[in-house]
Amino acid sequence: LLPSKNLRSTQTEHFNANYPPESDQRKQKIANMITSYKRSVSTISKSTSAQESATAASLQVSWNLAKAKKPFADGELMKSCAVAMVSEVLRHDEKQKKTVVELLKQVPLSANTATQRVEVLAADCFSHLLTDSKKAEAISLAIDSSCDRTDMEQLSVFARFFDGKTFREELLCLLPLTGRTTGEIIFTELTQFFVKNGLDVGKIVSIVTDGAPSMVGQHKGLVGRLSAVKPALLAFHCIIHKSVLCAKLCGKMKETMDTVTRLVNFVCESSSLQHGLFRAMLDEMSAEHKDLLLHSDVHWLSKGRVLERVCDLRDELASFLSTLQSQKAQEFKMFLIDNDMMGYVFFLCDIMSHLNCLSLQLQGKNHTLRTCTRQLKKTFRGESCTFHRFECTPKLSSDILLFLRQPFSVSADGQWTAEAKKLWPSIDEAALQMEVLEMGTSDVLKAQHRDVGVNDFWINMVPQARFKNTRAIAMLLLTMFPSTYICESSYSSMNSIKNQDRNRLSNAHLDQCLRIVTTEYKPDIRSIASSQCCHFSH
């Protein structure tokens, strides 16, 4: 509290009586008071700055821990390692070593602190995501579900949209499904998330799923319910899942694959001693590989890899089976030395290797319908029947995709523009036709199109004001997901985060950690630190 008016007056009179205005003693006293004040302010400022720096360091370490999918408790381990490194590096400079070590020890990195830091960082990234997605005109969703380590069904929802500068693929949410996973429940959870966060379901232009009944059911599935809200919604079956379905075997090919699988299981799974002897023999023979691979239908590249390994180790396998006395071993040996049977194996190996190569080319982030369709046409050139089994865009004509890749090659007739009107009902079809004609006469745009990629052309080269409708259609097509690869890869990260040693991790913290692992947003650590209540506690 400030002193009362009478008390302040008495103090002033006392000061003036003891230190007259003209005296040097009075001037010295005032100078000392000013110096003392500045020293106090400087001390407070330094303390606050040190606390903010410690908080920023704590945020940065927590961010790195989450990015690396490490437990929150590893923060203290990182601090002890940092202190140990400084002690060794600066062992000849005791003064500097002491200063740095004291600063490092002030950084709060306990498990509870790291947990709170991850919550703040994930919230900051989510805030940026919501801000950008609300500005976007169109949003595409990739949705898939899988169980975590505790058999909790987790619904992974990724969004792709244009933020005004670039296309982003971000984790929208990870929704735990505690009971049944019907289309109605998934739709309810998804729409509640949109409403809670102020997102517009009507902006969803396409959705890609793994083709499960709960997702693609015509009436009760998620796609059917979303289509009732957005009639122009496009729904696709993941193109990579389709490629796996095309790899399903029958007849003689299935019989051959089953025999190879039984052979591998016999060598590797029937006896640990037998498996160990086989690996020892491969090591002694300096074989190309050290072991066989086990087949799993869950893994996309499994069949091709298993067949390649068996073909590479054919002679070694035959030699090893010759040393065994069992009848089954002799049957597998006869299979390996039979050139006719192995002809089927080599043929199947070539086919599966071809499909594996295609699968790898279709995987990865930031793929679009254009790039995937182009890769399929390149792979199955001249095999139209095979291509149509893979085709992921049954509701999009070839003219629509040609317009995206070669906008100067399409005509301005009413056939494909009418289809474009169905995709984006708000566009002006007549204006779209005029823009296509104008674009076809622009030598400047044609030259720019030759020099840059498709994405860069539509984002940076095509003027928004002159080509509003054509640009809107192009952006809609570039927004669409071709596969659920991004969801599948997130589940690998999810299982690394919520492993057997962290199986009590809450759903909220799992969502936050996975968001940090997958996001391309980078939080402003200093800004967050300055807004926090900073202290040196652990």
Side-chain angles (χ1 to χ4, degrees), residues 80-94:
S80 63
C81 291
V83 170
M85 286 190 294
V86 169
S87 300
E88 288 298 323
V89 172
L90 300 177
R91 66 181 184 274
H92 300 303
D93 191 341
E94 288 295 330

Side-chain angles (χ1 to χ4, degrees), residues 54-84:
T55 301
S58 176
L59 286 164
Q60 187 63 62
V61 171
S62 300
W63 173 265
N64 292 339
L65 281 175
K67 271 288 185 184
K69 311 165 196 173
K70 297 299 182 181
F72 303 136
D74 282 1
E76 288 291 352
L77 174 61
M78 294 184 69
K79 182 197 290 189
S80 63
C81 291
V83 170

Side-chain angles (χ1 to χ4, degrees), residues 341-475:
M341 295 302 300
M342 288 305 296
Y344 286 104
V345 175
F346 284 113
F347 175 75
L348 192 58
C349 179
D350 290 341
I351 294 297
M352 289 301 169
S353 298
H354 190 60
L355 291 176
N356 283 356
C357 181
L358 172 64
S359 180
L360 288 173
Q361 291 170 339
L362 297 177
Q363 294 177 36
K365 294 187 65 176
N366 298 314
H367 276 306
T368 63
L369 290 178
R370 176 192 65 83
T371 56
C372 288
T373 304
R374 185 178 180 182
Q375 185 59 50
L376 288 175
K377 288 183 177 180
K378 181 180 178 181
T379 304
F380 298 104
R381 186 177 299 150
E383 301 179 31
S384 57
C385 178
T386 305
F387 171 72
H388 285 302
R389 292 178 66 187
F390 280 95
E391 195 171 9
C392 63
T393 57
K395 297 183 180 179
L396 296 178
S397 68
S398 58
D399 287 339
I400 286 285
L401 295 176
L402 178 62
F403 160 75
L404 179 65
R405 189 175 69 255
Q406 296 289 343
F408 312 104
S409 302
V410 297
S411 62
D413 59 27
Q415 184 174 358
W416 81 269
T417 55
E419 184 180 351
K421 175 72 173 178
K422 294 179 181 179
L423 290 177
W424 196 264
S426 62
I427 68 169
D428 186 337
E429 186 178 352
L432 175 62
Q433 293 177 358
M434 294 300 296
E435 289 175 14
V436 172
L437 289 173
E438 182 181 356
M439 184 176 289
T441 60
S442 175
D443 293 333
V444 174
L445 287 178
K446 289 180 180 179
Q448 292 172 337
H449 183 266
R450 289 193 296 267
D451 297 335
V452 300
V454 174
N455 287 26
D456 193 21
F457 173 75
W458 288 107
I459 293 173
N460 300 317
M461 304 304 174
V462 180
Q464 171 73 24
R466 287 176 55 194
F467 301 100
K468 176 182 177 181
N469 296 283
T470 52
R471 200 169 184 272
I473 292 298
M475 289 301 177

Side-chain angles (χ1 to χ4, degrees), residues 185-420:
I185 292 175
I186 295 174
F187 174 77
T188 301
E189 292 287 339
L190 185 62
T191 51
Q192 285 179 353
F193 173 84
F194 269 70
V195 172
K196 178 182 177 181
N197 294 283
L199 297 173
D200 184 6
V201 179
K203 287 187 176 181
I204 303 175
V205 295
S206 73
I207 178 173
V208 61
T209 68
D210 61 353
S214 60
M215 296 289 184
V216 299
Q218 185 175 2
H219 301 293
K220 296 184 178 181
L222 173 64
V223 171
R225 294 176 185 275
L226 284 176
S227 297
V229 179
K230 182 70 179 293
L233 178 73
L234 287 175
F236 303 134
H237 186 181
C238 170
I239 189 172
I240 303 178
H241 280 84
K242 275 195 170 184
S243 70
V244 175
L245 292 176
C246 285
K248 294 292 184 181
L249 303 173
C250 61
K252 188 64 176 180
M253 293 295 102
K254 184 178 186 304
E255 179 184 341
T256 302
M257 187 70 219
D258 290 344
T259 303
V260 171
T261 302
R262 290 196 302 271
L263 166 61
V264 173
N265 290 339
F266 172 75
V267 174
C268 299
E269 297 294 311
S270 60
S271 168
S272 58
L273 173 61
Q274 181 172 287
H275 188 201
L277 292 173
F278 175 68
R279 287 185 297 180
M281 187 199 73
L282 292 178
D283 188 56
E284 291 176 1
M285 299 176 67
S286 300
E288 183 178 357
H289 305 288
K290 302 301 180 183
D291 201 356
L292 294 172
L293 296 177
L294 295 175
H295 168 57
S296 172
D297 281 330
V298 177
H299 297 156
W300 287 340
L301 308 179
S302 180
K303 289 179 182 176
R305 297 274 177 84
V306 171
L307 289 165
E308 287 178 0
R309 188 63 59 87
V310 170
C311 291
D312 291 341
L313 296 177
R314 177 188 180 185
D315 295 336
E316 289 84 354
L317 275 169
S319 298
F320 177 74
L321 293 172
S322 299
T323 63
L324 303 180
Q325 303 300 322
S326 66
Q327 181 179 355
K328 185 178 291 187
Q330 298 309 309
E331 291 175 356
F332 286 131
K333 175 190 172 183
M334 295 303 299
F335 172 80
L336 288 171
I337 63 176
D338 188 334
N339 290 331
D340 292 335
M341 295 302 300
M342 288 305 296
Y344 286 104
V345 175
F346 284 113
F347 175 75
L348 192 58
C349 179
D350 290 341
I351 294 297
M352 289 301 169
S353 298
H354 190 60
L355 291 176
N356 283 356
C357 181
L358 172 64
S359 180
L360 288 173
Q361 291 170 339
L362 297 177
Q363 294 177 36
K365 294 187 65 176
N366 298 314
H367 276 306
T368 63
L369 290 178
R370 176 192 65 83
T371 56
C372 288
T373 304
R374 185 178 180 182
Q375 185 59 50
L376 288 175
K377 288 183 177 180
K378 181 180 178 181
T379 304
F380 298 104
R381 186 177 299 150
E383 301 179 31
S384 57
C385 178
T386 305
F387 171 72
H388 285 302
R389 292 178 66 187
F390 280 95
E391 195 171 9
C392 63
T393 57
K395 297 183 180 179
L396 296 178
S397 68
S398 58
D399 287 339
I400 286 285
L401 295 176
L402 178 62
F403 160 75
L404 179 65
R405 189 175 69 255
Q406 296 289 343
F408 312 104
S409 302
V410 297
S411 62
D413 59 27
Q415 184 174 358
W416 81 269
T417 55
E419 184 180 351

